[in-house]
């Protein structure tokens, strides 16, 4: 099967500008069709298209159309038809080569974006999705056009058969959805083929396990006397997170003395820094007595603005090293908090995640509004409410901080 394309001047009719339309002529199975390219030339201009420098921009436009046609022909291959060619040739969707339409390649492309952004942990999640897809497909290739509702349901059932957690399955499906959305935005594939959404396929949601400690257990942790410096450091980092709006360990590690402005710590969560939103939420934390004590005890003694407050990160601080150092810090904190919990005979192990959940839950139990807690956590989940709610005043934030160590008053 031979298919060829050539630009031709359609001299059958003259246009109002005295020129003729330039058409793309496609030859297939001894038949041919002409497709308008929105370009017009005189006979002399068409004859000197390659030699007249003034016509170079026009030739580039024609070349671009020929290249698009070649890609469509390559993609359609044995399924070529004039009708299918015409539909794709005049579509605003970018013509993709077969490698672009492979979902595995698309996920790998997005992993490169995440790598450049320094999102190491998220990269690993997308790599896991690739592994699961390859296991299911027994192949390295799947066209985006074949990611249908039926395919997604089959893939989900396969993952459930492997007894993976709903949270893991949901993550895989959301990763596929994200890549599909990117492909549509880049006009690699038509939005008509989108398999997600209402009355289509929805990724499974999982109920997150509650990770909040009671105020009684937090008091036991607070009163506990560590037996060595590393255990003391782990306890202090846990309580720093708890006192600092449930700040995660990566944000703690990256805190610098310049983030302390007057009697507040001001920072933007690393998790949201790569967001496309123009107005990043700045979180402000009042420096209560507990934070001051922990910084005085565990903080870098050289309080220069550019110095990290805590010595968690090693040099050089490239993204991969930050990822490794933060992970090591989390492991160390969790290891010692587990031993403390065993010593205190607590029913739950207060990992670093518990500090954030406990911060929000203690305030909720104390009657603090969900809107205010949401702002303190740096969440955007109550979007509608926060559109018309002003930021909370410092005195209000000061008041809610008292609840965190209410047990000291007993």
């Amino acid at each position: 099967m031979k298919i060829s394309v050539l630009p031709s001047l359609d001299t059958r009719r003259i246009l109002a500008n005295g020129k003729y339309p330039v058409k793309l002529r496609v030859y297939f199975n001894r038949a041919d069709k002409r497709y308008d390219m929105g370009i017009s030339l005189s006979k002399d201009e068409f004859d000197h298209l390659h030699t007249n420098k003034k016509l170079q921009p026009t030739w580039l436009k024609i070349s671009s159309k020929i290249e698009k046609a070649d890609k469509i022909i390559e993609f359609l291959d044995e399924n070529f038809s004039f009708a299918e060619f015409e539909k794709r040739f005049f579509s605003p969707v970018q013509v993709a080569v077969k490698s672009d339409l492979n979902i595995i390649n698309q996920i790998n492309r997005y992993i490169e974006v995440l790598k450049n952004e320094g999102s190491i942990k998220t990269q690993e999640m997308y790599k896991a999705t690739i592994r699961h897809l390859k296991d299911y497909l027994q192949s390295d290739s799947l066209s985006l056009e074949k990611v249908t509702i039926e395919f997604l349901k089959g893939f989900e059932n396969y993952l459930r058969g492997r007894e993976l957690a709903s949270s893991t399955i949901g993550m895989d499906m959301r990763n596929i959805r994200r890549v599909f959305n990117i492909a549509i935005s880049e006009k690699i594939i038509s939005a008509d083929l989108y398999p997600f959404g209402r009355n289509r396929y929805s990724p499974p949601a999982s109920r997150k396990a509650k990770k909040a400690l009671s105020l009684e257990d937090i008091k036991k942790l607070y009163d506990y006397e560590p037996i060595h410096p590393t255990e003391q450091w782990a306890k202090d980092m846990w309580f720093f997170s708890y006192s600092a709006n449930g700040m995660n360990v990566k944000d703690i590690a990256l805190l610098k003395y310049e983030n302390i402005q007057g009697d507040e710590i001001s920072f933007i969560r690393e998790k949201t820094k790569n967001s496309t939103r123009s107005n990043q939420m700045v979180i402000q934390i009042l420096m209560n007595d507990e934070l001051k004590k922990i910084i005085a005890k565990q903080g870098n003694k050289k309080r220069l603005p550019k110095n990290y407050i805590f010595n968690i990160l090693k040099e050089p601080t490239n993204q991969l090293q930050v990822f490794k150092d933060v992970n090591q810090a989390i492991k160390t904190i969790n290891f010692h908090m587990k031993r403390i919990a065993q010593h205190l005979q607590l029913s739950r192990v207060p990992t670093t995640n518990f500090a954030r959940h406990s911060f929000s839950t203690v305030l909720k139990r104390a009657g603090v509004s969900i809107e205010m807690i949401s702002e303190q956590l740096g969440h955007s989940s109550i979007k509608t409410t926060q559109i018309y709610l002003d930021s909370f005043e410092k005195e209000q934030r000061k008041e809610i901080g008292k609840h965190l160590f209410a047990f000291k008053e007993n």
Side-chain angles (χ1 to χ4, degrees):
M1 179 183 69
K2 187 175 180 181
I3 307 166
S4 58
V5 293
L6 288 171
S8 68
L9 195 67
D10 191 352
T11 57
R12 294 175 298 179
R13 65 186 180 94
I14 192 165
L15 301 175
N17 61 4
K19 298 183 179 184
Y20 300 97
V22 178
K23 302 232 176 139
L24 186 75
R25 201 163 184 175
V26 180
Y27 298 87
F28 170 60
N29 277 356
R30 298 183 181 180
D32 71 279
K33 283 199 172 186
R34 304 182 197 197
Y35 299 99
D36 189 63
M37 293 193 280
I39 299 168
S40 61
L41 293 171
S42 67
K43 288 182 179 180
D44 185 66
E45 286 173 332
F46 188 77
D47 290 340
H48 296 89
L49 195 55
H50 299 282
T51 56
N52 189 334
K53 288 186 178 180
K54 290 183 180 179
L55 293 172
Q56 189 173 10
T58 304
W59 172 241
L60 289 175
K61 287 181 183 178
I62 293 171
S63 297
S64 174
K65 299 285 186 182
I66 294 171
E67 184 181 351
K68 181 176 182 178
D70 285 338
K71 280 187 176 181
I72 294 169
I73 291 166
E74 180 190 356
F75 178 74
L76 292 175
D77 199 14
E78 294 180 359
N79 297 315
F80 180 88
S81 68
F82 283 119
E84 193 62 33
F85 174 85
E86 186 173 336
K87 184 174 73 174
R88 292 174 183 267
F89 185 71
F90 291 110
S91 169
V93 175
Q94 176 184 321
V95 178
V97 295
K98 289 186 178 179
S99 61
D100 287 336
L101 283 171
N102 180 0
I103 191 169
I104 306 292
N105 291 348
Q106 286 297 321
I107 296 174
N108 276 319
R109 276 183 59 197
Y110 189 56
I111 288 172
E112 287 301 310
V113 172
L114 294 170
K115 190 181 294 183
N116 292 333
E117 291 177 350
S119 303
I120 310 291
K121 188 174 181 180
T122 310
Q123 284 179 55
E124 296 306 315
M125 294 177 181
Y126 278 85
K127 287 178 182 177
T129 299
I130 287 178
R131 288 195 298 272
H132 295 159
L133 275 170
K134 286 183 176 180
D135 289 344
Y136 178 57
L137 296 166
Q138 293 295 298
S139 167
D140 292 346
S141 179
L142 175 70
S143 170
L144 281 165
E145 294 179 332
K146 292 183 179 178
V147 181
T148 61
I149 298 169
E150 292 71 25
F151 171 83
L152 292 169
K153 287 179 178 177
F155 184 42
E156 179 184 331
N157 289 335
Y158 165 76
L159 296 176
R160 291 196 184 282
R162 289 183 53 182
E163 299 185 351
L164 296 183
S166 289
S167 57
T168 302
I169 297 170
M171 180 188 69
D172 280 343
M173 297 307 185
R174 287 189 294 274
N175 289 349
I176 293 171
R177 182 176 63 188
R178 172 66 176 150
V179 168
F180 215 106
N181 282 328
I182 292 171
I184 290 172
S185 69
E186 292 179 348
K187 299 189 183 303
I188 289 172
I189 194 166
S190 170
D192 294 339
L193 297 173
Y194 192 59
F196 297 93
R198 191 175 178 181
N199 298 325
R200 295 184 182 181
Y201 176 84
S202 296
S206 61
R207 282 181 73 92
K208 290 188 175 180
K210 293 182 180 179
K211 296 180 179 179
L213 299 177
S214 66
L215 208 56
E216 181 184 357
D217 282 348
I218 296 171
K219 182 182 188 310
K220 290 178 182 177
L221 288 174
Y222 185 80
D223 291 338
Y224 175 78
E225 290 294 334
I227 57 176
H228 55 74
T230 308
E231 195 173 77
Q232 179 70 61
W233 178 85
K235 176 190 167 184
D236 286 341
M237 289 301 99
W238 194 95
F239 272 99
F240 188 92
S241 173
Y242 173 71
S243 308
N245 295 23
M247 189 186 300
N248 67 36
V249 177
K250 185 174 183 180
D251 287 325
I252 293 173
L254 291 170
L255 275 183
K256 295 182 178 181
Y257 279 108
E258 65 185 3
N259 291 111
I260 300 176
Q261 299 169 6
D263 60 347
E264 290 184 321
I265 296 174
S266 180
F267 76 105
I268 296 172
R269 293 182 71 199
E270 281 296 309
K271 192 174 182 178
T272 64
K273 277 187 178 177
N274 290 320
S275 168
T276 55
R277 291 170 295 173
S278 57
N279 55 332
Q280 294 284 352
M281 183 183 287
V282 177
I283 299 175
Q284 293 175 305
I285 302 164
L286 277 162
M287 287 277 287
N288 57 43
D289 290 341
E290 296 304 321
L291 292 176
K292 290 175 183 176
K293 265 195 323 189
I294 294 169
I295 290 173
K297 189 193 308 179
Q298 303 291 356
N300 191 333
K301 303 309 175 188
K302 294 182 180 179
R303 298 195 170 205
L304 300 175
K306 296 295 181 183
N307 281 359
Y308 292 114
I309 295 177
F310 301 107
N311 295 318
I312 293 174
L313 304 179
K314 299 182 180 69
E315 296 292 343
T317 53
N318 57 62
Q319 292 296 339
L320 182 58
Q321 190 61 53
V322 169
F323 176 75
K324 290 179 179 178
D325 292 344
V326 168
N327 264 13
Q328 185 55 55
I330 292 170
K331 286 179 182 177
T332 302
I333 295 167
N334 289 345
F335 174 80
H336 290 288
M337 292 305 288
K338 180 179 180 180
R339 294 187 64 170
I340 292 172
Q342 289 171 342
H343 178 82
L344 295 173
Q345 296 184 326
L346 301 182
S347 60
R348 310 180 81 185
V349 177
T351 61
T352 53
N353 284 336
F354 273 74
R356 184 169 179 81
H357 286 263
S358 297
F359 162 82
S360 55
T361 303
V362 167
L363 296 186
K364 184 179 177 183
R365 288 169 184 161
V368 177
S369 73
I370 295 175
E371 290 84 2
M372 191 166 189
I373 296 169
S374 177
E375 182 171 309
Q376 297 293 290
L377 290 168
H379 282 167
S380 58
S381 54
I382 315 177
K383 294 177 183 177
T384 307
T385 310
Q386 290 192 333
I387 287 172
Y388 59 83
L389 275 179
D390 290 330
S391 294
F392 297 100
E393 296 298 325
K394 184 185 290 186
E395 287 306 312
Q396 288 176 287
R397 288 189 276 117
K398 201 171 192 176
E399 191 64 28
I400 69 169
K402 293 178 182 178
H403 296 300
L404 298 176
F405 289 88
F407 54 78
K408 292 170 65 178
E409 298 169 8
N410 296 335

